[in-house]
């Protein structure tokens, strides 16, 4: 599957262009961006429903996401540059303090995002999906890639 | 007008008007929420909160929507009904969560 997002208002993803992304999956309501960042396509990850760590279900703040990925073995890191032997996630925050999105770095150095109920896309940089509905990139986390069996 | 008065007014709407109001709000919510992943943000969209304010009369309409296409109606259903029929092992799986709510609605004779 390929192509670009269609019919999305510029205010939602003002930095996304036809040149910096491509669609990589059909639309689905089965999983969200956090699940996708954690490589799960069977669940919609949300505190209070499905979330492999203890959090306040009503909070919705960035620390929910930071704690989650810490529990998955990630630790905070400086930036988006690819690092040999590590996989990275970018975490996003809106002006109200809610976490909004998580993106995962691919082995080619690009990034992959599940856009809410819409498609998965591959995009060049974390900032490509920032600036609108997802607010800003709040930070990056990394963990050692699992060893191949 | 107070929030209580507004809610009382809405839940006394004739069935057809209630359905029109619900579907208009649902369409607005889906349009605004389709880019989002954080259910707290999704549930705080004003159209979603207004649907919750419509109260029990909209539960069958929500359940029909859930049967048509599973999505994040669970928060609204829990707030309106005070129930949560989703078994622990189904949590996170949107289709199974929807199935549990639809089965609950059928047991309650809210939908066919």
């Amino acid at each position: 599957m390929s192509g670009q997002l269609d019919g999305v208002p510029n205010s939602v993803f003002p930095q996304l262009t036809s040149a910096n992304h491509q669609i990589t999956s059909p639309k689905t309501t089965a999983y969200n961006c956090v699940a996708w960042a954690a490589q799960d396509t069977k669940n919609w990850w949300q505190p209070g429903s499905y979330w492999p760590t203890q959090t306040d279900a009503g909070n919705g703040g960035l620390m929910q996401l930071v704690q989650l990925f810490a529990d998955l073995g990630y630790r905070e890191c400086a930036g988006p540059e690819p690092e040999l032997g590590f996989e990275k996630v970018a975490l996003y925050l809106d002006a109200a303090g809610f976490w909004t999105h998580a993106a995962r770095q691919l082995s080619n150095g690009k990034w992959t995002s599940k856009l809410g109920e819409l498609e998965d896309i591959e995009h060049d940089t974390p900032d490509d999906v920032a600036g609108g509905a997802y607010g800003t990139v709040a930070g990056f986390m990394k963990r050692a890639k699992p060893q191949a069996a | 007008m107070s929030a209580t008065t507004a809610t009382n007014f809405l839940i006394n709407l004739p069935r057809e008007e209630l359905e029109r109001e619900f579907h208009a709000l649902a369409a607005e919510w889906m349009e605004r929420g389709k880019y989002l992943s954080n259910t707290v943000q999704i549930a705080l969209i004003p159209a979603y909160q207004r649907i919750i304010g419509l109260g029990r009369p909209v539960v069958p309409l929500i359940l029909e929507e859930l049967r048509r296409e599973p999505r994040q109606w669970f928060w609204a259903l829990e707030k309106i009904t005070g129930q949560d029929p989703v078994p622990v092992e189904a949590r996170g799986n949107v289709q199974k969560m929807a199935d549990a709510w639809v089965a609950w609605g059928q047991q309650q004779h809210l939908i066919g």
Side-chain angles (χ1 to χ4, degrees), chain A residues 40-116:
Chain A
D40 175 8
T41 58
K42 297 192 183 322
N43 296 288
W44 185 283
W45 288 31
Q46 182 65 36
S49 177
Y50 185 86
W51 197 255
T53 188
Q54 296 295 320
T55 55
D56 173 5
N59 181 325
L62 181 66
M63 286 312 295
Q64 281 186 334
L65 216 48
V66 173
Q67 186 61 54
L68 171 70
F69 282 100
D71 289 348
L72 294 175
Y74 290 80
R75 56 189 168 84
E76 292 182 48
C77 64
E81 297 76 20
E83 290 184 48
L84 193 63
F86 287 91
E87 52 192 10
K88 291 188 175 184
V89 292
L91 309 182
Y92 297 70
L93 175 74
D94 74 4
F98 290 114
W99 65 260
T100 57
H101 185 60
R104 169 166 50 91
Q105 192 169 43
L106 297 166
S107 55
N108 63 5
K110 293 189 176 186
W111 294 77
T112 182
S113 285
K114 171 69 161 68
L115 305 176

Side-chain angles (χ1 to χ4, degrees), chain A residues 1-6 8 13 15-27 31 33 36-37 92 101-106 108 110-116 118-130 134:
Chain A
M1 174 160 292
S2 63
Q4 283 74 43
L5 288 177
D6 192 27
V8 178
F13 299 121
Q15 299 177 110
L16 208 57
T17 69
S18 59
N20 67 17
H21 81 281
Q22 64 173 351
I23 293 171
T24 54
S25 83
K27 294 178 185 177
Y31 60 95
C33 67
W36 180 242
Y92 297 70
H101 185 60
R104 169 166 50 91
Q105 192 169 43
L106 297 166
N108 63 5
K110 293 189 176 186
W111 294 77
T112 182
S113 285
K114 171 69 161 68
L115 305 176
L118 303 180
E119 297 94 337
D120 306 339
I121 64 167
E122 181 179 306
H123 49 103
D124 292 348
T125 72
D127 281 338
D128 293 336
V129 294
Y134 295 165

Side-chain angles (χ1 to χ4, degrees), chain A residues 29 44 46 49 94 99 117 134, chain B residues 34-35 38-39 70-71 92:
Chain A
T29 60
W44 185 283
Q46 182 65 36
S49 177
D94 74 4
W99 65 260
E117 297 182 346
Y134 295 165
Chain B
K34 66 185 179 184
Y35 312 104
N38 185 337
T39 309
R71 53 165 42 96

